[in-house]
Amino acid sequence: MDRFLKGHVSVLSCFPPSVGRDVAVAVVKPLAAGLGNPSTRSLLRTDRQVKWTMEVLCYGLTLPLDRDTVKLCVDVYTDWMMALVSQRSSTPPPISRDPNLYVQRILRHLYILFLPRSGPVSPVYLSLCQQVLGSVQTLARESSVMSRETWETLLHFLLRINHTLLTPPTPAGGVSDLSVAVLLEVWLLACSGCFPSRSLWQTFRQMFLSWRHQPAVVEQWSRVAAGLTSRLLPQMFGPSFPPFEVPDEDASLVPADMADERICHTWFKVLHLFSNPVDLIGPAAGSSQDKDVQLPGIFLRAMRAVSELVNAFLGVTVRSSGPTEHLLPNTGLTARTPFRDRLPSLGKQPLQSTDLPHQTFSVGSVLVNFSVIFPPGFSVSRSPFRDRLPPYGFSRPRSGSAPPTPVTFPSASDAPPSKSSSPPCKQQTPSPPHRWKSSSPLPPSCPPLCTSPRPPAHPLRCNVDSVLHLFGSWLFEASLITSGKQNDVTVMPEQWAAGRAEACGTLCRIFTCKKTEENIQCVYLSRFYLVLRQCLQDACPPVLVSVLLNSTRLFCCDLRGVNLLLPSFLSVLETVLLDRDLIQFKGLVSPVDLRRSSIFILLSLMPLPLQLASVQLQDSVDMMSSDDATAGDFLSYKPRLLSLLIGALQTETDTCNIQLLLAAMLNVVHDSAAAEAPPPSAKPAQEIRFRRSDHQNHKVQSGTTSGTNRTRTPTVQSEAAVVWVHVVRLLTQRLTSQWRNDSAVCLSALEVLGGLAKVEVQVEESEWRRAVGSVCTYIVFQCGRPPPLHSRDLHSIIVAAFCCLNTWLTRNPVLLQQEECLLEVLEIVELGISGSRSRQDQDQKVVWKENKDLNPASLRVKEAAEATLSCIMQVSGAGLGGSLRDDALMLNDSSLKRSKYFVLEGSVILATLEPTPEPDQEQSPSLLVVLRGPSGHRRWSLQLHLLPKDGRIPQKQTTLIPEQRRLTPEDVGQRKSINHQLVPEHLDRVPSVGADQSIPTLTRTGSAEEQQQLDHLRSTLKTQQHIEALPQVSGQSVAMATCRPPPPISCFQVTRLLLSHLGLLTPESVKDLGLNSIQPALLSLDSSLPGFSESLRSLDQLPSRNSDCAFVFYMREGQTKPREILGNVEKQCSVSGHFLDFLSSLGWPEEVGRLQEGVASRSEFEAVLGDSGGAAFDGRRFVLKFGDALTQITFIVPSSHTYTDWLKSQEEAGQACVSSSNQRRSETRPSEDIRSCQSVSTFFRSDSKLLIVWVEHFEDIEKFPLTDLLLETRAQKETSSSNIQLIFIHPLKTGLYRISFHGNTSTKLGLVVPLVNGMVTSRRSLVFLVTEMISNCSHRCRMESDSAPSPHVKRKHLINDIILCYKSRRSEPAFYSALFHL
């Protein structure tokens, strides 16, 4: 480079300064006067003239700037340089003939302008430099005749002036930013037109290393690297890979016509111009730079640039603001195009940290306060780099929450705690009752709720090893710089922590983007684990923040050996989640986001102790220690994790974070209980069967097995039971105090409480009683709010509380045997139905039902209370339920004609049928009764006997009057005297007792009028006795007739007897009041009207429980077409064995249109499954059914043949006549049986659907063809996916399952639990959590929809329609005549 100025010193420098100045002024003024005038010709015509003039101009550039001589020289040179762009009249002819030669000499002369000058930098100097750089930039952009020598001279010129301006100790002037920008832009233009030589690249790299201490250098380098990367990615990954969006000015730096091959070479060479950013803090940076206060900021900016490039290669880019088609709201999932978070562009306007002393910016994954990290005077660029956490809505912290208390879980031999797990600490006064925080929709400025920890990387991203080959050495070294002396690590101050934090966060993102079957080199894994342990042990706040924010998926991506980091992460999580104030992280990050990322990590850590129970962990204090000391096995960390989870729930105040912790609670408790349960081989054979949805079977099981085994007092309480007690007490205490004003948290807590009621643990009955009492207290509090504060959200929470109460009662029917509990529950039901209780306090007088005004909180609350009352009746055995066939429901033709139908109290349809007795059957009153009500239907067979039926010996019916013998001849004509006794003989001999006086005599109770009648009766009896005692006047003998009993009757009018016994057959009950709104207590229906049987059959087909449905899919590696996905379940070899086990645990096989009775074993499932991979349950003949007392779920495994047959059946059903439905049912094909399954057909036509997808490769979730699959299956006529909810299940190598939930989670009531995105669960809890999630999602949809009433409401409305259509118009006499068969 020294030869750049060799021979270019003007000869005028040999003369006195005054001579040179005068000559320069005299020469340059005429030349400058002719510039820009097209009519003026150049004064110079020959080469000698031009060369002599250039010597003068060269000297003129060295003159002081106080006059215009230097400016005129620059004007002349910049005008002559344009000869390479276009010909001008002012340009000398020699230059026009050979512009490359003269431009090279001009560039060597112009370098003199940039040499250091004495004194301060003047604006004139800056203006001249900018003029020269602008001309050079125009020359490189527009010239098409530049030779290679000219290109190299131009690049040498730019390198030299930048080296002069940027190399220490020369301070950078105001032109340094522009000079670096022009150098890089011209260099890129040269790479496109004339690629620089290897030696020139080496020179550039050597010089660039000495410029890195300047902020402008790292800023411009990052811009060029980003622009090149945006052009490189489409070449490497194709057009479907997400573009790396950069500002237009950065993208324009790369010439549009640059060849693809040159882009690759240029990108690689430009990337390594900066070399390792860690060298900024090493000895290579020079002693003078070690004291440079700007170096920490430069180091941070360089690491940020590397981080952005890494994100680009991973496919994590800035989301565009335009609408995305087929986007699932707030899920991060689209039908075709993945949804990703893209890094925003870098700003260009520098900001001084002194101007913004309290401003915080997002740096990488850390929101850093620049006034804390950077010294005054450092210039940075504004970057709205958003956090990588999900954009959850923020809520203000609530007051009155108690600080956490460590929870010590006793061993199995310890007794359960006698007090609540919530500590008796000093709390603030709870919010007054009139304060209710309704979760209203978030404002447009706030992002909606989302359950994803951060946007996923693109499936086409490169492997982890490839990214580490490029950036690994820089990132690993930058992550290991510390503030202490350890081995060869350089001692660094705290200012470097921000750059180190950026490097650590980038490494975490790289490793969490590992693909399913990807193998990472062991050397990279070991270095990464070493970095993480070092960072977590150093406890540097910015580094800890960066690691936590970027490690939310670290433990759920099948990294080999990552579980060994459990102790290190556990210690850090305890620091974050148990600290309410987080003072050490103040100013770095939002506490809500930091806690949320920590909670996501905790979600993935919770199942590890039980899954890897006996695996030993190495001591995390010193990873490189040579001793074999261990920190115990994984199971030993379970108490710490449980204590951390409960403590975090006590500390947390953010709504979304609390919901995540609640979801983890249910997962942990159920997993612990399932792990302690006896293995299937140890259970009786009948307990290995699948449960059935038959309510009668469930009631028997609940009343006997569940009601006794689950609530008996155990001698030794298990650890799962202790945890269950702690969690239930904590949730109920918080529900009635701190959380009761937060609708979203209350709803999630109620859902979790309902799930905890289903966990099989053995605890004392008092624990169940306490939980039910807390729910009742919560309902009383919410219903007691002032009317102005009542809203739909509040009523939805009350409805959810009633549903939770139903779950606890059905799971623990023994509670209803306690008078106190039954009374409390019935009072709550009364409160929900009428709006008030009959007795508010014990001392108050009871208000009777007829004296109360019905004023419920809302119609939905009233209906929920009615459902709870029906549930109580079901559990106690006094309600309606069950599922019967047509013959049992008396809907066949023969039974329908002989049956009588009545309506009781306007809500229950009573059907009676007197069966025809068999010839050898005993003559006795018999009756078949079917009751149809809102809660279901039930059938009874009634029979009246004179003697008890049990233990009765069958014998011929005898009469009470003995049969007299025949008269003999000698007795003929003789009269027998018979002494009639009004009372038994010898009654006076029986001693009287006190009970004989319990019934008073007539003489003591009658009135005066009655005494007169009694006296008249006595006189009449005496007269009759006197007449009978008189002798016969005539001697004729009188033969007495034989007394015989009457013959038994065969017509008993049993319906009349039943109604009479029920107290319904009274004049008041059958009298029509003439009011349309009030029906008589007993009303008859006319079964002869057309359509009556069809209406009853429709009523019987309406379920009495919540009926939900879900699709189950299996997605193999790389599949993107619907037909491929649907065809997986055709063959058993196409699916994994774990998937079949999952199907078998979801429910039992049920034939479509038929009611299964009894239980189903594993062998039955395998028999129905056959050789298919689940296609046997595609709804054509079989489905999988799960049910309990309150809900039933139908699982359909779609195949490639399901929907074509279903569409054909629908067309045929529409063409067929309704009157021949019974005949069609007997002649239908198997594929048409789906018409008989209401839940299946309803699911096809419903707007809200839930899909369960088993994915072999987790990254294939982004390619799931949701819209195409719904169109292919005809399950969705439109492409809208707003009401679709998806549960993705991905099996991990550890035996755990990773969950990804996508759906409409932007509701006002927040997240749906217990499955949240990012959760990891065990095989023991997978099916339980899936069924709970389906029930909760469906319940949320029903609560938020006005067109989805509960099942008992649907049945009640249909019963009212039947009454209005088919009630008999008879008069009262006609009613009695029909009843008595007159």
Side-chain angles (χ1 to χ4, degrees):
M1 183 58 66
D2 293 339
R3 61 183 181 88
F4 186 76
L5 293 177
K6 188 177 181 179
H8 295 286
V9 178
S10 175
V11 68
L12 293 178
S13 60
C14 299
F15 296 91
S18 59
V19 176
R21 181 178 61 251
D22 295 341
V23 172
V25 170
V27 172
V28 73
K29 284 187 176 180
L31 293 176
L35 299 178
N37 189 358
S39 59
T40 304
R41 295 179 59 185
S42 176
L43 301 176
L44 307 177
R45 311 303 299 175
T46 64
D47 291 340
R48 290 185 61 186
Q49 296 174 352
V50 172
K51 291 179 180 180
W52 183 86
T53 305
M54 292 180 66
E55 290 292 332
V56 177
L57 295 177
C58 179
Y59 181 80
L61 293 173
T62 62
L63 297 177
L65 298 174
D66 53 353
R67 298 185 180 181
D68 295 338
T69 305
V70 178
K71 182 181 182 303
L72 295 178
C73 293
V74 171
D75 291 340
V76 173
Y77 266 164
T78 54
D79 182 79
W80 288 358
M81 287 171 56
M82 294 300 104
L84 287 173
V85 178
S86 62
Q87 297 294 332
R88 301 181 181 183
S89 60
S90 59
T91 305
I95 297 179
S96 301
R97 289 193 298 268
D98 193 1
N100 284 283
L101 177 62
Y102 286 97
V103 168
Q104 296 173 21
R105 300 186 59 151
I106 291 174
L107 292 174
R108 294 186 180 96
H109 290 180
L110 287 176
Y111 170 71
I112 301 175
L113 177 67
F114 295 90
L115 293 176
R117 297 174 181 265
S118 59
V121 178
S122 63
V124 177
Y125 173 75
L126 295 177
S127 175
L128 294 178
C129 293
Q130 292 176 1
Q131 179 180 350
V132 173
L133 293 174
S135 300
V136 170
Q137 192 176 28
T138 303
L139 184 65
R141 289 177 179 179
E142 301 178 7
S143 175
S144 59
V145 295
M146 288 179 60
S147 63
R148 168 168 287 275
E149 291 76 11
T150 305
W151 272 111
E152 292 187 355
T153 303
L154 180 61
L155 297 179
H156 275 290
F157 167 74
L158 293 174
L159 288 175
R160 192 61 184 175
I161 62 173
N162 280 275
H163 197 64
T164 303
L165 295 174
L166 301 174
T167 302
T170 304
V175 76
S176 59
D177 293 1
L178 181 60
S179 65
V180 176
V182 173
L183 168 62
L184 293 175
E185 181 181 356
V186 172
W187 198 277
L188 292 179
L189 292 172
C191 292
S192 176
C194 182
F195 200 80
S197 62
R198 181 179 180 181
S199 60
L200 197 57
W201 276 104
Q202 291 179 350
T203 303
F204 187 16
R205 187 171 185 271
Q206 293 174 0
M207 288 186 172
F208 199 89
L209 294 179
S210 61
W211 307 340
R212 293 181 301 180
H213 66 290
Q214 299 291 347
V217 174
V218 65
E219 183 69 27
Q220 298 300 329
W221 170 76
S222 62
R223 291 182 56 197
V224 173
L228 287 170
T229 305
S230 65
R231 292 282 302 274
L232 179 67
L233 294 180
Q235 302 178 23
M236 297 180 59
F237 303 104
S240 60
F241 195 77
F244 180 39
E245 297 183 358
V246 296
D248 295 338
E249 56 270 21
D250 293 352
S252 62
L253 294 176
V254 183
D257 57 347
M258 183 180 291
D260 295 344
E261 183 179 358
R262 292 191 174 185
I263 288 180
C264 297
H265 289 285
T266 304
W267 178 87
F268 186 81
K269 292 181 177 295
V270 169
L271 177 66
H272 289 81
L273 285 177
F274 201 89
S275 188
N276 191 347
V278 182
D279 294 340
L280 288 171
I281 55 180
S287 58
S288 61
Q289 297 180 18
D290 292 339
K291 301 180 181 180
D292 196 336
V293 294
Q294 295 182 344
L295 287 182
I298 296 173
F299 174 66
L300 169 62
R301 185 62 187 91
M303 298 314 303
R304 252 181 63 194
V306 174
S307 176
E308 293 172 359
L309 297 181
V310 169
N311 288 328
F313 278 94
L314 296 177
V316 183
T317 50
V318 176
R319 174 173 51 179
S320 99
S321 58
T324 306
E325 297 182 358
H326 313 314
L327 177 65
L328 296 182
N330 316 306
T331 63
L333 183 68
T334 59
R336 300 179 184 273
T337 305
F339 167 80
R340 288 163 300 276
D341 187 18
R342 298 179 176 87
L343 298 177
S345 59
L346 300 176
K348 298 304 173 297
Q349 299 297 329
L351 297 176
Q352 298 295 330
S353 60
T354 55
D355 299 334
L356 299 172
H358 302 290
Q359 181 69 35
T360 59
F361 297 93
S362 174
V363 180
S365 58
V366 187
L367 296 174
V368 181
N369 190 327
F370 280 79
S371 62
V372 177
I373 300 298
F374 298 144
F378 178 72
S379 175
V380 296
S381 298
R382 180 185 299 271
S383 175
F385 190 102
R386 68 178 56 182
D387 202 346
R388 290 171 177 80
L389 283 177
Y392 287 97
F394 298 152
S395 65
R396 293 174 294 179
R398 294 176 297 278
S399 62
S401 58
T405 297
V407 180
T408 303
F409 295 98
S411 61
S413 60
D414 294 335
S418 59
K419 297 183 179 180
S420 174
S421 60
S422 180
C425 57
K426 184 177 180 180
Q427 299 181 3
Q428 298 180 8
T429 304
S431 301
H434 63 276
R435 294 183 62 186
W436 169 257
K437 187 181 71 173
S438 177
S439 298
S440 57
L442 296 175
S445 59
C446 297
L449 294 176
C450 176
T451 55
S452 175
R454 64 178 177 85
H458 195 269
L460 298 179
R461 62 185 180 273
C462 57
N463 295 333
V464 172
D465 286 346
S466 299
V467 179
L468 294 178
H469 291 337
L470 288 172
F471 309 102
S473 60
W474 299 352
L475 295 173
F476 283 126
E477 291 188 39
S479 301
L480 288 176
I481 60 173
T482 62
S483 57
K485 184 66 176 178
Q486 294 183 0
N487 298 332
D488 296 332
V489 181
T490 308
V491 178
M492 286 296 115
E494 290 297 332
Q495 286 90 344
W496 302 91
R500 182 189 177 196
E502 186 68 47
C504 295
T506 304
L507 281 177
C508 293
R509 287 199 305 277
I510 293 175
F511 281 90
T512 54
C513 289
K514 170 189 171 295
K515 298 180 182 179
T516 301
E517 297 296 336
E518 181 181 352
N519 292 322
I520 303 177
Q521 293 183 13
C522 296
V523 62
Y524 286 142
L525 286 174
S526 60
R527 295 191 68 184
F528 175 60
Y529 297 155
L530 176 63
V531 166
L532 283 184
R533 292 203 180 198
Q534 185 68 39
C535 294
L536 297 177
Q537 290 175 13
D538 291 345
C540 180
V543 177
L544 288 182
V545 168
S546 182
V547 171
L548 292 178
L549 294 183
N550 292 278
S551 301
T552 54
R553 302 189 306 174
L554 184 64
F555 290 89
C556 54
C557 55
D558 275 336
L559 284 173
R560 288 181 298 170
V562 70
N563 296 326
L564 298 178
L565 297 174
L566 170 64
S568 301
F569 270 94
L570 182 56
S571 301
V572 176
L573 294 181
E574 290 172 341
T575 303
V576 175
L577 294 178
L578 299 181
D579 185 2
R580 184 183 304 276
D581 299 325
L582 295 176
I583 298 178
Q584 59 178 326
F585 303 106
K586 187 176 181 180
L588 295 176
V589 68
S590 169
V592 174
D593 295 340
L594 183 60
R595 293 181 188 272
R596 183 168 304 138
S597 61
S598 302
I599 292 172
F600 275 115
I601 298 175
L602 183 61
L603 288 177
S604 59
L605 293 178
M606 293 306 299
L608 291 180
L610 290 176
Q611 188 69 18
L612 308 174
S614 60
V615 178
Q616 296 294 321
L617 278 170
Q618 184 181 357
D619 189 2
S620 60
V621 176
D622 189 0
M623 182 180 176
M624 305 305 295
S625 178
S626 59
D627 55 2
D628 296 330
T630 59
D633 55 12
F634 275 89
L635 193 58
S636 63
Y637 287 90
K638 181 182 177 183
R640 285 183 62 186
L641 285 170
L642 291 174
S643 179
L644 173 60
L645 182 61
I646 294 180
L649 188 60
Q650 292 175 323
T651 306
E652 189 56 59
T653 58
D654 179 72
T655 297
C656 298
N657 290 351
I658 294 176
Q659 290 177 313
L660 294 174
L661 291 172
L662 289 173
M665 284 286 188
L666 184 57
N667 184 12
V668 171
V669 174
H670 184 273
D671 194 23
S672 299
E676 295 180 1
S681 59
K683 293 184 179 181
Q686 62 270 19
E687 294 186 7
I688 307 178
R689 309 295 181 91
F690 294 105
R691 290 178 297 174
R692 288 299 184 184
S693 63
D694 192 308
H695 181 74
Q696 186 68 20
N697 293 340
H698 175 78
K699 186 190 70 175
V700 174
Q701 295 174 1
S702 300
T704 58
T705 305
S706 299
T708 57
N709 293 344
R710 292 180 59 185
T711 57
R712 68 186 182 192
T713 303
T715 57
V716 177
Q717 198 169 33
S718 64
E719 182 181 355
V722 175
V723 175
W724 188 92
V725 170
H726 275 287
V727 172
V728 171
R729 288 184 177 184
L730 176 61
L731 295 189
T732 53
Q733 186 270 335
R734 295 275 166 158
L735 185 65
T736 55
S737 56
Q738 285 90 348
W739 295 344
R740 61 185 183 180
N741 292 328
D742 194 327
S743 58
V745 172
C746 288
L747 181 57
S748 297
L750 291 170
E751 292 172 347
V752 172
L753 277 177
L756 291 173
K758 302 175 183 179
V759 177
E760 298 288 342
V761 291
Q762 294 184 359
V763 297
E764 297 179 354
E765 292 182 6
S766 60
E767 299 298 335
W768 305 100
R769 174 69 182 87
R770 183 182 292 107
V772 172
S774 299
V775 176
C776 294
T777 303
Y778 178 78
I779 295 176
V780 172
F781 172 78
Q782 300 297 357
C783 291
R785 290 182 179 273
L789 297 181
H790 279 243
S791 62
R792 181 177 179 87
D793 290 348
L794 176 62
H795 297 160
S796 297
I797 300 302
I798 299 176
V799 171
F802 274 109
C803 294
C804 178
L805 186 61
N806 297 344
T807 304
W808 281 83
L809 294 178
T810 54
R811 290 288 174 171
N812 306 278
V814 71
L815 294 176
L816 296 181
Q817 299 177 8
Q818 303 177 9
E819 181 180 356
E820 181 182 358
C821 180
L822 179 60
L823 180 61
E824 182 178 10
V825 173
L826 290 178
E827 287 183 351
I828 297 303
V829 171
E830 180 189 13
L831 174 63
I833 295 177
S834 63
S836 62
R837 291 181 291 179
S838 298
R839 182 173 56 186
Q840 300 293 338
D841 297 327
Q842 296 294 335
D843 300 335
Q844 291 184 355
K845 187 178 180 181
V846 177
V847 180
W848 300 109
K849 175 181 177 182
E850 56 269 14
N851 299 328
K852 292 179 60 176
D853 296 332
L854 294 181
N855 187 22
S858 68
L859 181 59
R860 292 195 301 152
V861 173
K862 177 185 176 182
E863 294 171 349
E866 292 174 348
T868 302
L869 179 61
S870 174
C871 176
I872 295 174
M873 297 301 178
Q874 298 287 352
V875 173
S876 61
L880 304 180
S883 180
L884 304 174
R885 301 178 184 274
D886 285 356
D887 53 354
L889 294 173
M890 298 183 297
L891 291 179
N892 50 27
D893 296 337
S894 60
S895 300
L896 193 63
K897 295 179 180 179
R898 298 187 295 114
S899 301
K900 295 182 179 180
Y901 294 89
F902 304 91
V903 179
L904 309 181
E905 301 293 342
S907 60
V908 178
I909 298 178
L910 170 67
T912 62
L913 172 64
E914 298 183 16
T916 303
E918 300 294 335
D920 56 347
Q921 186 178 0
E922 180 182 354
Q923 294 290 336
S924 61
S926 301
L927 190 68
L928 298 179
V929 178
V930 177
L931 286 177
R932 295 177 173 90
S935 60
H937 47 248
R938 178 165 292 185
R939 178 181 183 269
W940 282 282
S941 177
L942 308 178
Q943 193 172 18
L944 178 63
H945 295 278
L946 299 179
L947 296 177
K949 190 173 182 181
D950 296 338
R952 182 167 55 90
I953 302 176
Q955 59 182 1
K956 186 177 180 180
Q957 181 178 1
T958 59
T959 61
L960 298 178
I961 303 176
E963 184 178 359
Q964 296 184 0
R965 62 180 179 84
R966 293 178 175 272
L967 294 176
T968 59
E970 56 271 18
D971 294 334
V972 175
Q974 297 182 2
R975 181 180 180 84
K976 302 295 182 180
S977 177
I978 303 176
N979 185 16
H980 297 279
Q981 296 290 336
L982 298 180
V983 294
E985 295 181 359
H986 310 295
L987 181 62
D988 53 349
R989 300 179 183 178
V990 179
S992 62
V993 295
D996 295 334
Q997 306 299 324
S998 62
I999 301 177
T1001 60
L1002 293 177
T1003 58
R1004 296 168 53 187
T1005 59
S1007 60
E1009 182 180 357
E1010 292 175 348
Q1011 293 297 332
Q1012 294 179 1
Q1013 295 177 358
L1014 290 175
D1015 295 340
H1016 183 270
L1017 180 60
R1018 293 190 189 97
S1019 62
T1020 303
L1021 290 175
K1022 290 181 180 180
T1023 304
Q1024 181 64 26
Q1025 292 176 356
H1026 178 72
I1027 294 174
E1028 292 179 354
L1030 293 177
Q1032 294 291 332
V1033 179
S1034 174
Q1036 183 180 2
S1037 301
V1038 179
M1040 297 181 64
T1042 304
C1043 295
R1044 299 180 182 274
I1049 62 175
S1050 58
C1051 182
F1052 300 99
Q1053 299 180 356
V1054 190
T1055 301
R1056 177 184 59 82
L1057 294 176
L1058 176 65
L1059 296 177
S1060 299
H1061 290 173
L1062 296 177
L1064 297 172
L1065 201 58
T1066 61
E1068 292 79 9
S1069 62
V1070 299
K1071 185 176 182 180
D1072 191 355
L1073 300 178
L1075 301 177
N1076 296 330
S1077 59
I1078 301 178
Q1079 298 290 345
L1082 181 63
L1083 179 67
S1084 62
L1085 298 178
D1086 190 356
S1087 60
S1088 62
L1089 294 177
F1092 181 78
S1093 61
E1094 285 76 8
S1095 298
L1096 285 184
R1097 189 172 287 108
S1098 300
L1099 176 62
D1100 295 334
Q1101 290 178 352
L1102 280 180
S1104 58
R1105 297 170 291 173
N1106 293 323
S1107 298
D1108 306 321
C1109 194
F1111 271 164
V1112 182
F1113 296 93
Y1114 188 91
M1115 186 177 183
R1116 300 186 65 184
E1117 175 188 359
Q1119 291 183 340
T1120 57
K1121 297 181 179 179
R1123 288 292 179 178
E1124 297 175 348
I1125 298 176
L1126 295 176
N1128 291 332
V1129 295
E1130 299 290 342
K1131 297 293 183 181
Q1132 193 168 349
C1133 59
S1134 300
V1135 299
S1136 65
H1138 296 293
F1139 174 71
L1140 296 179
D1141 293 339
F1142 172 71
L1143 287 182
S1144 65
S1145 302
L1146 284 178
W1148 56 88
E1150 182 175 285
E1151 190 170 357
V1152 176
R1154 296 185 182 180
L1155 175 67
Q1156 297 289 111
E1157 296 181 356
V1159 293
S1161 61
R1162 173 75 182 192
S1163 59
E1164 180 181 347
F1165 173 84
E1166 295 176 353
V1168 176
L1169 181 66
D1171 296 334
S1172 69
F1177 309 105
D1178 58 0
R1180 293 184 296 170
R1181 185 178 178 184
F1182 289 97
V1183 294
L1184 289 173
K1185 184 65 69 70
F1186 167 84
D1188 54 21
L1190 299 176
T1191 184
Q1192 61 180 4
I1193 305 176
T1194 302
F1195 295 97
I1196 306 173
V1197 186
S1199 64
S1200 56
H1201 304 290
T1202 304
Y1203 308 97
T1204 303
D1205 295 339
W1206 181 79
L1207 288 176
K1208 292 180 180 178
S1209 65
Q1210 292 300 306
E1211 295 175 358
E1212 295 177 5
Q1215 299 173 358
C1217 180
V1218 178
S1219 60
S1220 59
S1221 59
N1222 295 331
Q1223 180 180 1
R1224 291 198 313 273
R1225 188 177 296 107
S1226 60
E1227 298 177 355
T1228 185
R1229 301 191 310 269
S1231 62
E1232 296 177 357
D1233 285 346
I1234 197 170
R1235 290 177 296 178
S1236 304
C1237 183
Q1238 183 183 7
S1239 60
V1240 177
S1241 58
T1242 303
F1243 179 76
F1244 282 124
R1245 291 187 288 265
S1246 65
D1247 296 331
S1248 179
K1249 299 176 178 63
L1250 196 145
L1251 281 67
I1252 303 172
V1253 186
W1254 187 285
V1255 290
E1256 291 183 351
H1257 284 201
F1258 191 81
E1259 54 272 9
D1260 290 339
I1261 293 177
E1262 290 295 309
K1263 299 184 292 185
F1264 183 71
L1266 175 61
T1267 303
D1268 293 343
L1269 190 62
L1270 293 177
L1271 293 175
E1272 184 72 22
T1273 58
R1274 305 301 192 271
Q1276 187 93 347
K1277 294 182 179 180
E1278 301 177 357
T1279 58
S1280 175
S1281 305
S1282 58
N1283 294 323
I1284 307 300
Q1285 295 168 323
L1286 299 98
I1287 300 176
F1288 291 97
I1289 303 174
H1290 170 62
L1292 301 176
K1293 293 181 180 179
T1294 56
L1296 300 175
Y1297 295 90
R1298 181 179 179 182
I1299 303 299
S1300 179
F1301 178 75
H1302 301 272
N1304 188 12
T1305 57
S1306 62
T1307 62
K1308 296 184 294 183
L1309 299 178
L1311 302 177
V1312 185
V1313 295
L1315 290 182
V1316 294
N1317 202 0
M1319 174 180 284
V1320 176
T1321 183
S1322 65
R1323 182 181 179 183
R1324 297 177 295 270
S1325 302
L1326 178 61
V1327 174
F1328 171 78
L1329 296 178
V1330 167
T1331 54
E1332 282 295 296
M1333 191 68 179
I1334 294 174
S1335 299
N1336 293 339
C1337 288
S1338 302
H1339 184 230
R1340 291 282 187 99
C1341 294
R1342 286 189 291 267
M1343 282 197 308
E1344 296 177 3
S1345 175
D1346 296 330
S1347 60
S1350 56
H1352 80 280
V1353 176
K1354 294 181 181 179
R1355 292 182 60 86
K1356 183 171 65 175
H1357 292 168
L1358 185 54
I1359 290 175
N1360 292 335
D1361 296 340
I1362 293 176
I1363 294 174
L1364 294 177
C1365 294
Y1366 303 104
K1367 67 178 180 179
S1368 178
R1369 308 294 179 180
R1370 299 173 181 171
S1371 60
E1372 295 181 28
F1375 174 81
Y1376 287 110
S1377 298
L1379 185 63
F1380 284 86
H1381 303 285
L1382 298 179

